[in-house]
Amino acid sequence: MYAHGGRRTKAEQDAATVEIGYALVSAAFAAAVLFGAVAGPTFLFDLPHPVSTVLLGLGTTVAPVVFMARVISVLVRFQQSARPGRPGRTDPDS
């Protein structure tokens, strides 16, 4: 991942920037879809107050968890793919 004595190349910096952007955008989309699926019926239907309160609370609790899980999973996967393989060994995924 680091070339030239520990410094990142411009291509490595650009790849990391793109991956961070992808992680944030895809996580925001996933969280929004999940919030809409869980809390959406509250806005569409006339539900009893306790049910709507539970759905809104569940949506606002689960959406940030999904957001963070998505960001972490994308960035960890990127970091693992950027690690150089062991010299002299072939990678079964290649």
Side-chain angles (χ1 to χ4, degrees), residues 24-87:
L24 292 173
V25 169
S26 67
F29 179 76
V33 167
L34 183 84
F35 179 80
V38 173
T42 301
F43 302 114
L44 295 175
F45 305 112
D46 188 24
L47 299 174
H49 183 69
V51 174
S52 65
T53 303
V54 167
L55 288 178
L56 281 174
L58 188 62
T60 56
T61 302
V62 174
V65 171
V66 168
F67 180 86
M68 291 305 299
R70 177 68 181 161
V71 168
I72 290 169
S73 70
V74 169
L75 294 180
V76 166
R77 190 173 349 124
F78 173 70
Q79 183 182 15
Q80 289 174 350
S81 70
R83 287 185 189 156
R86 293 182 289 183

Side-chain angles (χ1 to χ4, degrees), residues 7-20 78:
R7 297 188 143 200
R8 288 185 180 179
T9 64
K10 181 67 174 158
E12 290 170 338
Q13 290 174 353
D14 291 345
T17 301
V18 168
E19 200 66 23
I20 290 168
F78 173 70

